[in-house]
Amino acid sequence: MAACTGKTMPAAVRRAFEDELRRARDAAPDTRAMWTALERAHIISQAWAWPHTRAHWHMFRLAVRCRDRAETVGQVVRILVAGAGSLTGRVPYGNTGRTAAGISTPMPLPDDLRLLLGRA
């Protein structure tokens, strides 16, 4: 996945990202399903600064809702660095965005997202 170079998110990728955010919202009160959708939104968004930051903002809100102090603090840190990481191409692609994953740990992309993002 190429670093964001000021280009906008392709329409199909934008739709998938927004679909995952919607899936997270619609899954309430099933927090496990909500986290899964937000993790997928995060993976999709990593190359674009604003969507990447939005994904972490939604994760922060869910962490607060779940009263998960460690995840909340971890998401604050990620909100602060997500945009810069995307702009410089210094993001751990495939990372789910959760605190337990580690802030700089790359992870394998799910097959459907690899195809969507052009990493076949």
Side-chain angles (χ1 to χ4, degrees):
M1 182 182 315
C4 176
T5 57
K7 296 182 181 178
T8 60
M9 189 181 256
V13 176
R14 168 72 65 186
R15 274 190 305 278
F17 173 69
E18 296 295 342
D19 285 349
E20 292 297 345
L21 292 181
R22 191 169 15 275
R23 191 168 303 149
R25 187 176 52 251
D26 293 348
D30 181 351
T31 56
R32 176 176 272 171
M34 293 172 77
W35 278 118
T36 297
L38 291 178
E39 289 170 356
R40 289 176 55 81
H42 176 265
I43 292 167
I44 292 166
S45 71
Q46 285 182 293
W48 296 274
W50 177 241
H52 187 188
T53 304
R54 277 183 65 205
H56 283 296
W57 171 250
H58 286 281
M59 289 179 158
F60 167 79
R61 291 177 57 206
L62 183 53
V64 168
R65 177 181 175 169
C66 293
R67 296 189 173 114
D68 184 334
R69 185 174 298 180
E71 189 71 43
T72 299
V73 171
Q75 290 306 321
V76 168
V77 171
R78 285 157 176 77
I79 287 168
L80 295 173
V81 301
S86 296
L87 289 172
T88 62
R90 297 181 64 192
V91 294
Y93 291 111
N95 186 293
T96 62
R98 298 287 302 277
T99 302
I103 200 163
S104 61
T105 306
M107 301 169 87
L109 286 153
D111 290 339
D112 64 323
L113 298 185
R114 182 177 32 247
L115 291 174
L116 174 70
L117 298 170
R119 294 184 52 107

